[in-house]
Amino acid sequence: MNTRTPPELLQAMTTHHRPDHLSNAHLDALEEETIFVLREVAAAFERPTLLFSGGKDSLVMLKCAEKAFGTPATGGKIPYPLLMIDTGHNFHEVTDFRDFRAKELGADLIVRSVEDSMARGTVRLAHPGESRNVHQSVTLLEAIEEFRFDALIGGARRDEEKARAKERIFSHRDSFGQWQPKDQRPELWTLFNTKLQPGEHFRVFPISNWTELDVWQYIEREQIALPSLYYTHKREVVERKGLLVPVTELTPLKPGEVAELRDVRFRTVGDITCTCPVESLAATPEQIVHETLAADVSERGATRMDDKTSEASMEKRKKDGYF
């Protein structure tokens, strides 16, 4: 959102009953579809994996996976490993939480690093300060080849960005890991075409039909724990091109800029060099649900510097192998 929700409204959110238009009955249908897709992947593919960053969307998928397959405590286990492509520039609150949840679930966690790709020479930065975010595609494709994954489950949603809105739930990738928007397979009702040729794979998006609001309503309903960055906290930021850029060692002040201490939270978490917080006093999922209802800028539009480089930047990255 562009403006902070007034404190008096946040107070009212916590002291009044939820209005009728915030009914979350539809979440049962979304959850059922997600569980169906997660089980379909387990049944149809030999070497699937679930992309797990420790962010809210992957934590929602993990919750649905727990319901689909159970946990060690209930006698079950998620039947595929978790995979994260780490740029080395992620917020430690998120990576710490990623490790904690994987250990708590007894899940196999695979981490592959962009820094390792840099050491191999497959990733070369134009300059030391260049964001590594876009280079995740190289490391991801290397991990796919290393483990011969044939299906990678991701938490992308259609409401995030117009290139993601074009994706099918089962998105076919050719032997080069590339996405061809014009060659997508039809998905009528729940009929998914999961046939692959050698070397090809699928990217699978079980929460494609969820919105940011659905995700937060589900987090509230299921009481899903999240990294602290998602809730209000004080942080030094500087305004650039309409975004609040966090002041860090990786994103220092430029000459003439002055840092401000503001109350902020992150709507999405990713590489520090391209992820921005929004001004907010929301401290609970319920308060964030109300903030999201009032938001007039998309999640990525309000928080991601890398999506602003061009109108087609996400589509180009997806064609190159990015999620």
Side-chain angles (χ1 to χ4, degrees):
M1 64 191 306
N2 291 330
T3 57
R4 184 174 66 185
T5 303
E8 58 273 21
L9 179 56
L10 287 177
Q11 179 64 27
M13 294 172 190
T14 59
T15 56
H16 290 74
H17 292 298
R18 180 188 294 277
D20 292 340
H21 69 274
L22 283 181
S23 166
N24 61 17
H26 67 292
L27 295 181
D28 289 336
L30 291 172
E31 179 189 72
E32 181 180 352
E33 180 183 59
T34 298
I35 289 174
F36 174 81
V37 172
L38 290 170
R39 288 174 173 165
E40 182 73 7
V41 171
F45 295 93
E46 295 182 6
R47 291 176 295 279
T49 185
L50 189 152
L51 272 289
F52 181 61
S53 66
K56 68 181 189 308
D57 297 319
S58 58
L59 284 163
V60 163
M61 283 203 306
L62 204 58
K63 183 65 179 181
C64 291
E66 287 184 67
K67 293 192 176 188
F69 306 109
T71 65
T74 60
K77 184 180 179 181
I78 299 171
Y80 24 73
L82 312 182
L83 171 67
M84 181 182 184
I85 305 302
D86 195 337
T87 65
H89 289 166
N90 292 293
F91 292 98
H92 72 84
E93 294 93 336
V94 179
T95 52
D96 290 349
F97 198 83
R98 171 202 68 191
D99 296 343
F100 164 75
R101 279 296 286 140
K103 184 177 181 181
E104 186 178 48
L105 279 174
D108 299 324
L109 174 64
I110 300 169
V111 178
R112 287 295 179 266
S113 170
V114 174
E115 290 184 353
D116 289 339
S117 297
M118 293 166 60
R120 286 191 289 269
T122 51
V123 167
R124 296 183 181 179
L125 303 183
H127 54 82
E130 182 187 1
S131 173
R132 300 174 181 177
N133 196 54
V134 69
H135 298 294
Q136 288 181 96
S137 305
V138 175
T139 310
L140 175 63
L141 294 175
E142 290 173 347
I144 292 170
E145 183 175 0
E146 176 184 357
F147 293 96
R148 296 189 297 131
F149 290 129
D150 53 4
L152 293 94
I153 307 166
R157 309 187 319 269
R158 290 189 173 117
D159 75 322
E160 288 183 89
E161 205 274 344
K162 58 187 179 184
R164 288 184 165 171
K166 298 178 182 178
E167 288 266 30
R168 300 287 195 265
I169 291 178
F170 282 74
S171 180
H172 176 264
R173 302 302 166 103
D174 64 20
S175 58
F176 297 100
Q178 294 178 323
W179 175 56
Q180 303 296 341
K182 295 181 179 178
D183 295 334
Q184 294 192 87
R185 297 171 177 177
E187 292 182 338
L188 301 177
W189 305 288
T190 54
L191 299 176
F192 303 118
N193 184 341
T194 58
K195 292 184 178 178
L196 287 175
Q197 297 298 320
E200 299 176 342
H201 69 271
F202 273 98
R203 309 287 172 88
V204 185
F205 305 106
I207 63 170
S208 284
N209 292 327
W210 298 49
T211 65
E212 182 185 11
L213 181 62
D214 297 328
V215 167
W216 278 108
Q217 286 185 273
Y218 192 74
I219 289 168
E220 181 193 6
R221 189 183 83 168
E222 301 293 326
Q223 300 183 352
I224 298 173
L226 299 181
S228 59
L229 292 178
Y230 281 109
Y231 301 108
T232 186
H233 59 280
K234 292 191 180 297
R235 179 176 293 271
E236 281 197 333
V237 296
V238 61
E239 285 199 39
R240 289 180 194 159
K241 299 179 180 178
L243 297 175
L244 296 180
V245 178
V247 178
T248 70
E249 291 183 356
L250 299 170
T251 51
L253 292 171
K254 296 180 179 179
E257 290 183 334
V258 178
E260 298 178 72
L261 191 63
R262 295 201 193 179
D263 295 301
V264 299
R265 70 176 179 87
F266 285 84
R267 287 175 69 177
T268 180
V269 294
D271 191 281
I272 293 173
T273 61
C274 60
T275 308
C276 299
V278 295
E279 199 158 18
S280 172
L281 288 173
T284 68
E286 182 181 15
Q287 292 177 344
I288 293 176
V289 164
H290 285 265
E291 274 200 350
T292 305
L293 280 169
D296 56 7
V297 178
S298 71
E299 180 180 329
R300 294 189 71 92
T303 64
R304 299 301 292 261
M305 287 180 274
D306 50 342
D307 289 350
K308 294 181 177 296
T309 53
S310 79
E311 283 293 313
S313 57
M314 174 62 83
E315 183 155 332
K316 181 181 184 306
R317 277 180 285 162
K318 289 183 76 67
K319 289 179 179 177
D320 291 340
Y322 190 75
F323 256 89

